């Protein structure tokens, strides 16, 4: 018997458009012989399913159900494809936990934790994984650039502490650029992370739990034509060279896999996540950068590229995420 799946897209953040593209890719890839999929767009104005004729139906939030032609539709599983709030920060996860409906991402606590870059760094570091030296700033806290640079050395990254797709992120090389970068980041969030730049090669890698086992996907090296892998570089074809699998020597790759699995386990992740990291120039030391618990699934996104490089079928991969969530 076919399972009924709610595919959630949209959200409240600047990543709304990316989420719609991810959901379009997932929707066409989920095998229709196994699942009936209802794509539900979540905005602040409503949670809406629109059928093929253009008729719109609102979700009953009391039990997360749809009423269509006097039929009450309930869901076996929720596939969350919302980047940013409320799909990546634990809000929807907590809601579905209360309703006891399975979903495909990390649980509410891990989602909330990993949405905060500074807190994530603390937990990952406690597992013995290297993280860059950083300072966390709050909107109501007065800290001068001089004070920051007495603790951190340039260049630094300035980024919203909560959020994704590199929105509001700047690379600062000169002291006089720091204040402007902080103002820009505070437009996206009321907490800001100032983090020392690790000189080296930049990578990203999907990590997934299937059948209770943590698997590392092929690693991708990021070579951006821009100063760093920002929103434009991530979503503009041709701006970034993405090499999958990355050219990493076997011994270093073994260390990379250990650190990725250790980070995934310590953060108590579920489903598929994408972990960004650096290999430091000169030492090849692994430095954790951040984790994305609802990674992009557009046609140009990195997870579909890595799944293909693994030799897996993308439809079977999405099926496995659903089955793992319902297990």
């Amino acid at each position: 018997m076919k399972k009924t799946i709610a595919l959630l897209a949209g959200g409240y953040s600047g990543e709304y458009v990316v989420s719609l593209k991810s959901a379009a890719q997932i929707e066409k890839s989920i095998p229709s012989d196994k699942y009936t999929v209802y794509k539900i767009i979540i905005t602040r104005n409503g949670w809406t399913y629109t059928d093929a004729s253009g008729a719109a139906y609102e979700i009953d939030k009391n039990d997360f159900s749809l009423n269509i032609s006097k039929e009450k539709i309930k869901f076996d599983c929720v596939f969350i494809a919302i980047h940013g709030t409320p799909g990546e920060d634990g809000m929807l996860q907590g809601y579905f936990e209360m309703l006891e409906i399975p979903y495909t991402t990390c649980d509410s606590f891990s989602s909330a934790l990993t949405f905060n870059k500074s807190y994530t760094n603390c937990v990952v570091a406690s597992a013995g994984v290297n993280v860059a030296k950083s300072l966390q700033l709050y909107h109501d806290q007065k800290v001068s650039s001089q004070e920051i640079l007495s603790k951190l050395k340039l260049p630094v990254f300035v980024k919203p502490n909560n959020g994704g797709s590199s929105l509001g992120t700047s690379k600062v090389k000169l002291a006089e650029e720091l204040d402007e970068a902080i103002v820009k980041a505070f437009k996206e969030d009321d907490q800001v992370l100032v983090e020392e730049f690790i000189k080296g090669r930049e990578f990203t890698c999907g990590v997934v739990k299937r059948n209770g086992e943590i698997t590392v996907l092929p690693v991708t090296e990021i070579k951006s034509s821009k100063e760093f892998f920002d929103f434009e570089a991530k979503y503009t074809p041709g701006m970034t060279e993405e090499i999958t699998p990355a050219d990493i020597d076997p011994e270093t790759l073994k260390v990379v896999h250990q650190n990725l699995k250790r980070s995934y386990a310590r953060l108590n992740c579920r489903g598929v996540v994408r972990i960004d990291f650096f290999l430091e120039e000169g030492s090849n030391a692994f430095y954790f950068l951040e984790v994305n618990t609802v990674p992009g699934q557009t046609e140009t996104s990195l997870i579909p590229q890595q799944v293909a490089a693994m030799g897996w079928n993308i439809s079977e991969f999405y099926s496995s995420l659903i089955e793992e969530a319902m297990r």
Side-chain angles (χ1 to χ4, degrees):
M1 188 176 165
K2 284 165 78 168
K3 300 288 186 185
T4 306
I5 308 299
L7 172 60
L8 302 193
Y12 309 155
S13 78
E15 297 179 90
Y16 178 92
V17 175
V18 181
S19 171
L20 295 187
K21 289 179 180 175
S22 286
Q25 162 79 358
I26 295 164
E27 186 178 27
K28 74 179 185 185
S29 302
I30 291 178
S32 57
D33 59 329
K34 291 173 74 175
Y35 309 105
T36 302
V37 178
Y38 291 81
K39 184 166 69 180
I40 294 150
I41 306 299
I42 289 190
T43 69
R44 292 196 186 278
N45 298 323
W47 299 10
T48 311
Y49 166 70
T50 304
D51 69 16
S53 72
Y57 302 88
E58 282 296 308
I59 284 279
D60 181 346
K61 293 177 189 168
N62 292 303
D63 59 0
F64 193 71
S65 64
L66 279 171
N67 290 290
I68 300 176
S69 304
K70 296 181 180 175
E71 182 192 358
K72 188 181 182 74
I73 296 162
K74 300 197 83 174
F75 298 98
D76 297 300
C77 185
V78 178
F79 199 121
I80 299 175
I82 295 175
H83 314 304
T85 187
E88 202 166 7
D89 58 1
M91 289 189 187
L92 282 175
Q93 288 81 359
Y95 167 74
F96 290 122
E97 283 163 18
M98 286 193 295
L99 294 176
E100 298 185 336
I101 300 173
Y103 56 87
T104 55
T105 67
C106 297
D107 66 21
S108 58
F109 179 80
S110 294
S111 296
L113 170 69
T114 54
F115 203 64
N116 186 302
K117 295 179 178 72
S118 182
Y119 297 161
T120 302
N121 284 351
C122 293
V123 174
V124 168
S126 75
V129 178
N130 293 326
V131 298
K133 195 175 175 185
S134 64
L135 279 177
Q136 187 174 358
L137 309 180
Y138 300 90
H139 71 96
D140 55 356
Q141 176 190 29
K142 293 279 183 270
V143 182
S144 69
S145 56
Q146 194 177 358
E147 203 176 330
I148 293 167
L149 295 177
S150 70
K151 294 172 182 169
L152 302 176
K153 64 177 188 288
L154 291 169
V156 294
F157 279 111
V158 180
K159 48 182 137 177
N161 201 27
N162 301 284
S165 285
S166 300
L167 289 165
T169 299
S170 306
K171 184 179 178 183
V172 174
K173 294 176 175 178
L174 304 171
E176 54 267 31
E177 296 171 348
L178 186 55
D179 286 339
E180 188 184 340
I182 290 169
V183 169
K184 179 182 172 184
F186 271 128
K187 285 179 181 170
E188 298 291 332
D189 188 26
D190 59 5
Q191 293 180 31
V192 165
L193 189 68
V194 184
E195 190 172 64
E196 283 189 352
F197 171 65
I198 303 296
K199 191 174 185 185
R201 297 162 68 193
E202 184 174 359
F203 301 88
T204 189
C205 188
V207 186
V208 64
K209 189 179 278 185
R210 287 163 38 118
N211 302 317
E213 190 173 323
I214 299 172
T215 301
V216 177
L217 298 179
V219 177
T220 299
E221 182 167 8
I222 304 296
K223 291 186 174 179
S224 176
S225 60
K226 296 198 71 183
E227 191 65 52
F228 66 97
F229 195 38
D230 65 2
F231 186 89
E232 187 183 16
K234 281 177 179 172
Y235 300 112
T236 307
M239 286 205 77
T240 302
E241 189 183 359
E242 297 160 354
I243 303 158
T244 312
D247 182 16
I248 303 175
D249 70 80
E251 282 307 304
T252 303
L253 190 60
K254 202 181 292 182
V255 174
V256 164
H257 278 217
Q258 287 170 352
N259 278 281
L260 291 171
K261 287 184 177 182
R262 193 179 292 164
S263 301
Y264 186 101
R266 180 55 65 98
L267 293 166
N268 193 33
C269 293
R270 284 196 329 212
V272 65
V273 307
R274 203 189 78 236
I275 296 175
D276 303 338
F277 65 95
F278 280 96
L279 290 179
E280 188 178 33
E281 188 176 270
S283 69
N284 257 359
F286 178 102
Y287 274 84
F288 175 94
L289 183 59
E290 63 181 77
V291 59
N292 301 271
T293 58
V294 185
Q297 300 289 345
T298 71
E299 288 184 357
T300 59
S301 290
L302 294 154
I303 294 296
Q305 288 181 39
Q306 293 170 3
V307 168
M310 191 81 169
W312 290 349
N313 175 286
I314 195 72
S315 294
E316 290 171 6
F317 180 71
Y318 291 144
S319 285
S320 74
L321 295 180
I322 292 166
E323 296 304 320
E324 182 75 19
M326 293 192 298
R327 224 157 53 88

